[in-house]
Amino acid sequence: MPKNIIIDTDPGIDDALAIMLAAASPEVRILGMTAVAGNTGLEHTAPNLAKIADLLGLDVPLGRGAIRPLWRRDTVPDANVHGADGLGGYALPDSQRTLEPAVPLLARLVEESDQPVTIVAIGPVTNIALFINEYPETARKVERIVIMGGGARDVLGNATPTAEFNIYYDPDAAAAMFDFGVPITMIGLDVTHKALVGSAHLAGLYASGGPIATMVEAITGHYGEAAYSGNDLDDAVAQHDSLAIAAAFLPDIVTTEHLFVDVENVGRLTSGMTVVDFAGRTGNAPNCDVALDVDTERFVTLLADRLTQLDATLKERA
Ligand code: RIB
Ligand code: CA
């Protein structure tokens, strides 16, 4: 039985690969996808989501979500990483799709689902916090929220020394989500920085030469140059969001500990830090399965194989 998922996203170069992975994986059924501001403004992330859905032939409802964090106005993305348009300048055809309001869509999809629903949040969690606030009883029906976000021990931050970007961008929304009570899996920088994928791993995909191969080669090239050049694995870059998607249907691809997590949202130097209570010093009950290790080879092989299969499928449909 495929796992019902909703993807909340700020596409976004690694978001695009993550949505491709989900579309290529029979283990999941995408009920819908919602866009949020993050990697770049909603004026780009929302149409990017529609364009990616068109490319993949995903006939699912799409939502247009939060244009900015709940309250913060000082958190801004590094426009170099994903480009001003969010996809490193890669030109996909404009979409004719209409996006509906994201938060009512989240509520409708959860209420209408005949199976438990997992939300995979791979951008700032502003939409999730709004959903929790406006539809608390429906939100409690969500089986699990798998986030790409945070840092626990080995790698704390990429937006600041102590904060990962998705949490940094809207720390108040993240604090509300961790406080709400729905089970959370945190796929943070500790594991995504081990999930490095480069052209050496994607040679089979690139040789396939179809629409996925062309787009992935182009956008990961931009991503690598902008944010991750100098890895010891030549052009390998962290495919943060794809690991969150993989963990949603292959939970044992990561090793987790059940711990209490809260988010610093007022610190002068530490705002956006996911504070992980390894020693139980707060006395608070654990609220999160924190990923601390990853089966890197299994993940890289999964991503490369699924994208290659997807490329072949779309070539046949063309
Ligand atoms: O820190 C990595 C996260 O921030 C990823 O989700 C990436 O897409 C950006 O949103
Ligand atoms: Ca993202």
Side-chain angles (χ1 to χ4, degrees), residues 92-106:
L92 285 172
D94 287 343
S95 176
Q96 302 308 309
R97 292 183 192 230
T98 302
L99 280 71
E100 54 191 287
V103 176
L105 174 60
L106 287 168

PDB file of all heavy atoms in Angstrom, residues 92-106:
ATOM      1  N   LEU A  92      11.758  26.176 -17.613  1.00  0.00           N
ATOM      2  CA  LEU A  92      10.680  25.214 -17.880  1.00  0.00           C
ATOM      3  C   LEU A  92       9.511  25.981 -18.500  1.00  0.00           C
ATOM      4  O   LEU A  92       9.333  27.172 -18.221  1.00  0.00           O
ATOM      5  CB  LEU A  92      10.229  24.554 -16.570  1.00  0.00           C
ATOM      6  CG  LEU A  92      11.154  23.498 -15.959  1.00  0.00           C
ATOM      7  CD1 LEU A  92      10.648  23.108 -14.568  1.00  0.00           C
ATOM      8  CD2 LEU A  92      11.261  22.263 -16.853  1.00  0.00           C
ATOM      9  N   PRO A  93       8.681  25.323 -19.294  1.00  0.00           N
ATOM     10  CA  PRO A  93       7.518  26.019 -19.870  1.00  0.00           C
ATOM     11  C   PRO A  93       6.584  26.533 -18.782  1.00  0.00           C
ATOM     12  O   PRO A  93       6.425  25.888 -17.729  1.00  0.00           O
ATOM     13  CB  PRO A  93       6.822  24.931 -20.699  1.00  0.00           C
ATOM     14  CG  PRO A  93       7.858  23.882 -20.934  1.00  0.00           C
ATOM     15  CD  PRO A  93       8.793  23.922 -19.753  1.00  0.00           C
ATOM     16  N   ASP A  94       6.007  27.689 -19.010  1.00  0.00           N
ATOM     17  CA  ASP A  94       5.014  28.224 -18.062  1.00  0.00           C
ATOM     18  C   ASP A  94       3.866  27.229 -17.921  1.00  0.00           C
ATOM     19  O   ASP A  94       3.523  26.517 -18.872  1.00  0.00           O
ATOM     20  CB  ASP A  94       4.482  29.574 -18.559  1.00  0.00           C
ATOM     21  CG  ASP A  94       5.518  30.680 -18.406  1.00  0.00           C
ATOM     22  OD1 ASP A  94       6.493  30.471 -17.642  1.00  0.00           O
ATOM     23  OD2 ASP A  94       5.370  31.729 -19.081  1.00  0.00           O
ATOM     24  N   SER A  95       3.286  27.210 -16.720  1.00  0.00           N
ATOM     25  CA  SER A  95       2.164  26.300 -16.485  1.00  0.00           C
ATOM     26  C   SER A  95       0.846  27.077 -16.538  1.00  0.00           C
ATOM     27  O   SER A  95       0.802  28.251 -16.182  1.00  0.00           O
ATOM     28  CB  SER A  95       2.313  25.645 -15.110  1.00  0.00           C
ATOM     29  OG  SER A  95       1.178  24.839 -14.830  1.00  0.00           O
ATOM     30  N   GLN A  96      -0.189  26.389 -16.966  1.00  0.00           N
ATOM     31  CA  GLN A  96      -1.532  26.998 -16.981  1.00  0.00           C
ATOM     32  C   GLN A  96      -2.332  26.596 -15.749  1.00  0.00           C
ATOM     33  O   GLN A  96      -3.504  26.931 -15.625  1.00  0.00           O
ATOM     34  CB  GLN A  96      -2.287  26.558 -18.255  1.00  0.00           C
ATOM     35  CG  GLN A  96      -1.570  26.929 -19.570  1.00  0.00           C
ATOM     36  CD  GLN A  96      -1.184  28.405 -19.625  1.00  0.00           C
ATOM     37  OE1 GLN A  96      -2.005  29.284 -19.394  1.00  0.00           O
ATOM     38  NE2 GLN A  96       0.093  28.692 -19.913  1.00  0.00           N
ATOM     39  N   ARG A  97      -1.672  25.880 -14.842  1.00  0.00           N
ATOM     40  CA  ARG A  97      -2.419  25.407 -13.674  1.00  0.00           C
ATOM     41  C   ARG A  97      -2.818  26.552 -12.756  1.00  0.00           C
ATOM     42  O   ARG A  97      -2.109  27.543 -12.650  1.00  0.00           O
ATOM     43  CB  ARG A  97      -1.560  24.438 -12.844  1.00  0.00           C
ATOM     44  CG  ARG A  97      -1.279  23.122 -13.527  1.00  0.00           C
ATOM     45  CD  ARG A  97      -0.488  22.235 -12.591  1.00  0.00           C
ATOM     46  NE  ARG A  97       0.044  21.082 -13.267  1.00  0.00           N
ATOM     47  CZ  ARG A  97      -0.092  19.830 -12.816  1.00  0.00           C
ATOM     48  NH1 ARG A  97      -0.758  19.596 -11.708  1.00  0.00           N
ATOM     49  NH2 ARG A  97       0.433  18.819 -13.459  1.00  0.00           N
ATOM     50  N   THR A  98      -3.905  26.358 -12.066  1.00  0.00           N
ATOM     51  CA  THR A  98      -4.326  27.293 -11.016  1.00  0.00           C
ATOM     52  C   THR A  98      -3.982  26.692  -9.661  1.00  0.00           C
ATOM     53  O   THR A  98      -4.313  25.531  -9.402  1.00  0.00           O
ATOM     54  CB  THR A  98      -5.852  27.542 -11.091  1.00  0.00           C
ATOM     55  OG1 THR A  98      -6.155  28.055 -12.383  1.00  0.00           O
ATOM     56  CG2 THR A  98      -6.288  28.531 -10.007  1.00  0.00           C
ATOM     57  N   LEU A  99      -3.280  27.466  -8.843  1.00  0.00           N
ATOM     58  CA  LEU A  99      -2.955  27.007  -7.496  1.00  0.00           C
ATOM     59  C   LEU A  99      -4.014  27.539  -6.542  1.00  0.00           C
ATOM     60  O   LEU A  99      -4.401  28.708  -6.617  1.00  0.00           O
ATOM     61  CB  LEU A  99      -1.565  27.492  -7.071  1.00  0.00           C
ATOM     62  CG  LEU A  99      -0.375  26.683  -7.603  1.00  0.00           C
ATOM     63  CD1 LEU A  99      -0.177  26.893  -9.093  1.00  0.00           C
ATOM     64  CD2 LEU A  99       0.898  27.048  -6.836  1.00  0.00           C
ATOM     65  N   GLU A 100      -4.477  26.686  -5.638  1.00  0.00           N
ATOM     66  CA  GLU A 100      -5.472  27.130  -4.655  1.00  0.00           C
ATOM     67  C   GLU A 100      -4.795  27.511  -3.341  1.00  0.00           C
ATOM     68  O   GLU A 100      -3.595  27.235  -3.179  1.00  0.00           O
ATOM     69  CB  GLU A 100      -6.502  26.012  -4.444  1.00  0.00           C
ATOM     70  CG  GLU A 100      -5.935  24.662  -4.080  1.00  0.00           C
ATOM     71  CD  GLU A 100      -7.002  23.559  -4.143  1.00  0.00           C
ATOM     72  OE1 GLU A 100      -7.860  23.552  -3.243  1.00  0.00           O
ATOM     73  OE2 GLU A 100      -6.944  22.723  -5.061  1.00  0.00           O
ATOM     74  N   PRO A 101      -5.503  28.148  -2.428  1.00  0.00           N
ATOM     75  CA  PRO A 101      -4.888  28.494  -1.142  1.00  0.00           C
ATOM     76  C   PRO A 101      -4.350  27.231  -0.449  1.00  0.00           C
ATOM     77  O   PRO A 101      -5.078  26.237  -0.324  1.00  0.00           O
ATOM     78  CB  PRO A 101      -6.027  29.143  -0.369  1.00  0.00           C
ATOM     79  CG  PRO A 101      -6.946  29.681  -1.431  1.00  0.00           C
ATOM     80  CD  PRO A 101      -6.873  28.673  -2.551  1.00  0.00           C
ATOM     81  N   ALA A 102      -3.096  27.303   0.007  1.00  0.00           N
ATOM     82  CA  ALA A 102      -2.404  26.090   0.457  1.00  0.00           C
ATOM     83  C   ALA A 102      -2.978  25.522   1.751  1.00  0.00           C
ATOM     84  O   ALA A 102      -3.137  24.296   1.885  1.00  0.00           O
ATOM     85  CB  ALA A 102      -0.922  26.400   0.648  1.00  0.00           C
ATOM     86  N   VAL A 103      -3.280  26.388   2.712  1.00  0.00           N
ATOM     87  CA  VAL A 103      -3.675  25.876   4.019  1.00  0.00           C
ATOM     88  C   VAL A 103      -5.032  25.158   3.974  1.00  0.00           C
ATOM     89  O   VAL A 103      -5.136  24.005   4.452  1.00  0.00           O
ATOM     90  CB  VAL A 103      -3.652  27.003   5.073  1.00  0.00           C
ATOM     91  CG1 VAL A 103      -4.161  26.523   6.419  1.00  0.00           C
ATOM     92  CG2 VAL A 103      -2.219  27.540   5.223  1.00  0.00           C
ATOM     93  N   PRO A 104      -6.056  25.708   3.342  1.00  0.00           N
ATOM     94  CA  PRO A 104      -7.298  24.920   3.190  1.00  0.00           C
ATOM     95  C   PRO A 104      -7.082  23.642   2.382  1.00  0.00           C
ATOM     96  O   PRO A 104      -7.718  22.614   2.654  1.00  0.00           O
ATOM     97  CB  PRO A 104      -8.244  25.876   2.464  1.00  0.00           C
ATOM     98  CG  PRO A 104      -7.714  27.241   2.742  1.00  0.00           C
ATOM     99  CD  PRO A 104      -6.229  27.089   2.856  1.00  0.00           C
ATOM    100  N   LEU A 105      -6.162  23.665   1.428  1.00  0.00           N
ATOM    101  CA  LEU A 105      -5.867  22.450   0.643  1.00  0.00           C
ATOM    102  C   LEU A 105      -5.250  21.383   1.539  1.00  0.00           C
ATOM    103  O   LEU A 105      -5.653  20.205   1.469  1.00  0.00           O
ATOM    104  CB  LEU A 105      -4.923  22.774  -0.510  1.00  0.00           C
ATOM    105  CG  LEU A 105      -4.422  21.578  -1.327  1.00  0.00           C
ATOM    106  CD1 LEU A 105      -5.592  20.823  -1.973  1.00  0.00           C
ATOM    107  CD2 LEU A 105      -3.421  22.022  -2.391  1.00  0.00           C
ATOM    108  N   LEU A 106      -4.311  21.780   2.395  1.00  0.00           N
ATOM    109  CA  LEU A 106      -3.725  20.812   3.334  1.00  0.00           C
ATOM    110  C   LEU A 106      -4.834  20.157   4.166  1.00  0.00           C
ATOM    111  O   LEU A 106      -4.887  18.927   4.314  1.00  0.00           O
ATOM    112  CB  LEU A 106      -2.714  21.504   4.251  1.00  0.00           C
ATOM    113  CG  LEU A 106      -1.377  21.916   3.636  1.00  0.00           C
ATOM    114  CD1 LEU A 106      -0.607  22.842   4.587  1.00  0.00           C
ATOM    115  CD2 LEU A 106      -0.528  20.699   3.289  1.00  0.00           C
TER     116      LEU A 106
END
